[in-house]
Amino acid sequence: MKKRVLGMVLALSLTAGLLAGCKGSASQNETEGTKAADVTQAQTQASGGADQSTQAAEDKPYAGTTIVMNLNTPSEAIREQYDAWLEDLKKKVMDQTGIELQVEMVSWGDYLNKHLTSIASQEGPDIIQMGSSVPPVIAAAGGLLDLTPYMDELGGMDVYYDVGKYYCTWDGKMMAIPWGGGGREIYYNKDIYDAAGLEYPSNDWTFEEFTEDAKALTEYMGKPAFAIMGSANDTTYYFWSQLITDGGNVLNDDMTKSEFNGQEGVDAVKRIVDMYNNGYIPSSFAESTVDDILPAFINGEVALSYGNASWWQDVVANMDGNWGTVAMPVGKAGLANGTVTMSAFGIMSYTKNPDAAAEVLKILASPEEIVRSTSILGWIPFREDIENDPAYEDNPAKETFFYVAKQSKAFIPQYQAISTVLSTSTKYLNSIFSQAVTGGNVDEAYIKEQLDALAQEVDHVLSQN
């Protein structure tokens, strides 16, 4: 505004001098007056442009700033749609903030080591994407910025599901923002259920009802009806889900000691072994992975299968509408369950532009961008205010997925060495199941012995972290 006042003073002085000091003709004075008016207008316009520039700078205080974001590589099947969303996101960030958003893709298998290396060197991306168990790892290494002060601008704490807040909180602080993900559920073949004369299961079914269905379906099909993997991390997820719904715990409250080797843990493992011994699970399960059981379900070789939330796209593409999905059965404690996994975003603590990174995160984590990105990925969001968005109507499994995300208590324990513990747990469980399929003795005493040995290894890992 000072520039405008100064311009007006100069223009008035110039006009006054011309009128007082010049003795030319009336036409000359008119001409000079016109020139003076032009000068005044030009100076006024110039000062107004400066004001607009100042206003633009105030609206976009981070103009000229570059923020680098790492994203984990999506599947090739949806890459074109995903890349189109990214281009729109970068344009929106530029238009609204003046920030240039640069995106780097990193594989799911490499990203954790990459980020730990960035923390050590204090150089790398400003914003990162993480899986469920990773926020505590990065946070414990001092690598994540505390987002608690930004939460009001990121939707507020109350808008997020409890599971999302669980995974993103470390040491009482919100270290990441929930984005989207899925869980583990039971898929069932409607055609086989119809042929066997059975009613479809519901999200509140019990293990007794599940076992009755597995028995009836096995008898109808003349072969094992339930597919479950025994040599991948989902083996452990299934065990944890059963354990928790029976009233057990994976770890104690401060996550310093194992608790999965109590009676609830023994019962959870024995239930799987008993289902195999009764002929409801094929003998190949001890060595099975998702690459084995998903095709078996799609091809109708089994009627029930334990699977990932992301299966629905493959199932839709290959089975039309003759399938359904429900949560894991409810156990003795009556707790809804079905291990939930998710993806989250955080800001690295070493960033030179924390507030600018927060501005990008506000856009990335807005309902509009969460809806668009997660609907492309086939995921569900973890926000109360967008679960009914029309974008999810194309997902025929959304009812179960939202139910699992909102009701499940079978979360992956939030400790640093989760990947080590998962692989160690799977190793021991696979050993138990292999013993069963080779005809060895797998009674309660043997299961307890194996779980105690596993607990000893896990407790050692916990003590080192």
Side-chain angles (χ1 to χ4, degrees):
M1 188 58 71
K2 288 182 179 179
K3 291 183 178 180
R4 176 172 290 180
V5 172
L6 179 59
M8 291 176 67
V9 170
L10 288 173
L12 289 171
S13 299
L14 178 58
T15 304
L18 288 170
L19 291 174
C22 292
K23 296 182 180 178
S25 65
S27 61
Q28 281 182 309
N29 287 336
E30 183 179 349
T31 301
E32 295 297 340
T34 301
K35 290 180 180 179
D38 290 342
V39 171
T40 303
Q41 183 179 8
Q43 289 174 327
T44 301
Q45 289 175 343
S47 63
D51 261 9
Q52 291 171 1
S53 178
T54 301
Q55 185 64 46
E58 291 173 353
D59 291 343
K60 298 180 180 180
Y62 306 108
T65 303
T66 298
I67 293 295
V68 178
M69 177 171 69
N70 267 188
L71 288 179
N72 297 342
T73 308
S75 70
E76 285 301 317
I78 52 94
R79 188 60 186 267
E80 186 175 344
Q81 289 176 285
Y82 192 79
D83 287 346
W85 164 69
L86 274 180
E87 289 305 310
D88 288 346
L89 176 68
K90 288 189 281 188
K91 183 178 185 302
K92 178 183 284 189
V93 169
M94 174 60 74
D95 290 345
Q96 293 187 11
T97 69
I99 296 170
E100 180 185 355
L101 177 61
Q102 294 182 358
V103 177
E104 298 175 349
M105 306 302 293
V106 58
S107 74
W108 283 94
D110 295 336
Y111 80 97
L112 178 54
N113 287 335
K114 176 180 175 62
H115 298 329
L116 291 175
T117 300
S118 295
I119 295 170
S121 66
Q122 293 291 286
E123 292 183 356
D126 301 281
I127 298 174
I128 62 170
Q129 181 183 0
M130 299 165 281
S132 307
S133 58
V134 171
V137 180
I138 303 295
L144 288 177
L145 186 71
D146 179 11
L147 298 180
T148 309
Y150 300 98
M151 286 310 299
D152 286 346
E153 299 169 271
L154 289 165
M157 293 291 286
D158 291 343
V159 77
Y160 294 100
Y161 290 173
D162 288 344
V163 61
K165 288 181 281 193
Y166 170 83
Y167 284 134
C168 292
T169 301
W170 180 253
D171 195 25
K173 302 171 183 176
M174 199 74 170
M175 307 303 291
I177 294 299
W179 193 38
R184 303 299 190 273
E185 294 88 29
I186 300 292
Y187 286 76
Y188 63 93
N189 185 306
K190 288 184 176 180
D191 288 349
I192 300 177
Y193 258 81
D194 290 340
L198 299 176
E199 292 185 3
Y200 301 149
S202 60
N203 282 327
D204 60 353
W205 64 335
T206 65
F207 264 108
E208 289 72 23
E209 292 170 329
F210 167 63
T211 303
E212 289 172 4
D213 280 9
K215 179 178 184 295
L217 291 164
T218 294
E219 290 175 351
Y220 169 76
M221 297 177 70
K223 60 181 179 179
F226 177 47
I228 181 175
M229 61 190 74
S231 63
N233 284 344
D234 276 56
T235 305
T236 297
Y237 294 156
Y238 187 89
F239 164 58
W240 285 350
S241 292
Q242 290 197 30
L243 168 72
I244 292 171
T245 196
D246 276 347
N249 297 306
V250 178
L251 303 176
N252 61 0
D253 288 342
D254 61 5
M255 301 183 194
T256 59
K257 188 173 176 59
S258 301
E259 290 192 351
F260 55 73
N261 55 327
Q263 188 59 47
E264 293 88 355
V266 173
D267 290 345
V269 175
K270 190 172 186 303
R271 188 181 287 123
I272 301 172
V273 173
D274 286 347
M275 288 190 72
Y276 166 71
N277 289 335
N278 287 327
Y280 309 153
I281 301 175
S283 59
S284 59
F285 92 97
E287 301 301 326
S288 292
T289 68
V290 66
D291 292 333
D292 303 311
I293 65 175
L294 175 55
F297 178 73
I298 288 175
N299 294 332
E301 296 170 20
V302 292
L304 294 164
S305 188
Y306 174 68
N308 194 303
S310 62
W311 276 20
W312 75 268
Q313 291 169 316
D314 288 315
V315 174
V316 165
N318 292 281
M319 295 182 67
D320 296 323
N322 66 325
W323 63 278
T325 182
V326 288
M328 287 277 292
V330 175
K332 297 174 184 176
L335 297 173
N337 74 104
T339 303
V340 176
T341 55
M342 62 169 285
S343 176
F345 283 100
I347 297 174
M348 299 300 274
S349 58
Y350 57 69
T351 180
K352 296 179 176 60
N353 299 291
D355 288 339
E359 289 298 313
V360 174
L361 190 59
K362 290 173 193 174
I363 296 174
L364 178 66
S366 67
E368 180 183 355
E369 297 307 323
I370 289 178
V371 167
R372 185 175 175 194
S373 57
T374 55
S375 61
I376 291 171
L377 289 162
W379 292 353
I380 59 168
F382 291 92
R383 288 181 63 137
E384 298 274 359
D385 55 343
I386 54 179
E387 61 186 31
N388 294 317
D389 193 281
Y392 302 111
E393 290 301 322
D394 290 339
N395 183 339
K398 75 182 185 77
E399 180 181 344
T400 294
F401 296 162
F402 278 117
Y403 175 88
V404 169
K406 295 180 74 171
Q407 304 296 329
S408 175
K409 303 302 178 187
F411 308 150
I412 298 173
Q414 193 195 48
Y415 50 89
Q416 298 176 56
I418 180 65
S419 59
T420 301
V421 174
L422 272 170
S423 59
T424 303
S425 299
T426 300
K427 179 184 71 174
Y428 275 86
L429 291 169
N430 176 253
S431 177
I432 295 171
F433 300 148
S434 295
Q435 175 93 337
V437 301
T438 55
N441 175 44
V442 184
D443 56 13
E444 286 196 22
Y446 175 77
I447 294 172
K448 172 64 173 171
E449 176 186 309
Q450 293 300 303
L451 290 183
D452 284 345
L454 169 59
Q456 189 172 13
E457 283 201 32
V458 169
D459 288 348
H460 175 70
V461 171
L462 296 175
S463 69
Q464 301 299 308
N465 291 274

